[in-house]
Amino acid sequence: MRKSRSRATAPQHLNGAPQALAPGGSVRSICVYCGSGPGENPAYAQAARTLGRALAENGVRLVYGGGGFGLMGEVARATLEAGGKVTGIIPEFLVEREHMLREVTDLLVTADMHQRKKLMFERSDAFVALPGGIGTLEELVEQLTWAQLGQHSKPIVVANIAHFWTPFLSLLDHMRNEAFIRRGLEVPFSMVSDASQIVPRVTQLYAELGGKVAPGALAKF
């Protein structure tokens, strides 16, 4: 695999998996899952911009899905405009559909969705879910499932902006009440209601882990 470029002017096509990030003492990168559309509530885009600025101000790299539209574009551009670094990871078939953002620091084009998600996992120390659609929900639930099954210990933060995720939280409560989420198999995540709380919460959770997370335990992916 070729090394990714600083301020990539052309995408890097990947056919193999990179090495997983080694554990470190502080959060270096956060993967943000969010919508490729802006949503109806202006609070969603504002939250994405707030998060992007906070990532840059704290020296934390953004890892995201590589698109230029919607909340994806908002968080990426805000990070870049504030002097931060951004890694965009996008499957080839979505390059045009999601208007791939070429101005990012590192741009990786994958063969398919599975490779995209694997790379996003390996290159991130934590995960944040902003509002989004079925793809965002799927990515969040996948990380929650892997964590529930002990496949990783990376922090997961759900940003319940303008109560967007409240129906999902209610569904989790329903699953617990119906004994499908049993004691000892809790879904490990933290929730915030304001975008300004995201980076501090991730930092807190990461520190509670002693500055280490389970390495990319998805060799069996």
Side-chain angles (χ1 to χ4, degrees), residues 20-32 59-61 63 119-128 152-156 202-203 205-206 209 211-216:
L21 292 173
S26 61
V27 178
R28 296 154 300 171
S29 58
I30 294 177
C31 177
V32 176
V60 178
R61 176 183 288 265
V63 177
L119 292 179
M120 291 174 79
F121 175 85
E122 290 175 339
R123 291 171 180 262
S124 303
D125 290 331
F127 306 94
V128 170
H152 76 84
S153 61
K154 299 180 181 184
I156 302 170
V202 170
T203 301
L205 295 171
Y206 198 78
L209 293 168
K212 295 183 179 181
V213 295

Side-chain angles (χ1 to χ4, degrees), residues 158-181:
V158 175
N160 194 24
I161 308 301
H163 307 289
F164 176 84
W165 289 108
T166 298
F168 172 69
L169 301 175
S170 297
L171 176 59
L172 292 180
D173 286 338
H174 177 61
M175 291 175 176
R176 292 187 189 94
N177 293 337
E178 295 298 320
F180 286 107
I181 298 177

Side-chain angles (χ1 to χ4, degrees), residues 69 90-100 102:
F69 287 149
I90 190 169
E92 192 166 12
F93 78 94
L94 286 179
V95 165
E96 297 300 328
R97 188 184 305 180
E98 292 190 349
H99 191 66
M100 181 176 69
R102 296 180 179 274

Side-chain angles (χ1 to χ4, degrees), residues 54-105:
L55 292 171
E57 290 167 0
N58 286 275
V60 178
R61 176 183 288 265
L62 167 67
V63 177
Y64 88 117
F69 287 149
L71 302 190
M72 295 174 71
E74 294 284 359
V75 67
R77 290 189 178 90
T79 304
L80 293 169
E81 289 169 3
K85 295 182 179 180
V86 176
T87 295
I89 305 176
I90 190 169
E92 192 166 12
F93 78 94
L94 286 179
V95 165
E96 297 300 328
R97 188 184 305 180
E98 292 190 349
H99 191 66
M100 181 176 69
L101 188 64
R102 296 180 179 274
E103 295 81 10
V104 298
T105 315

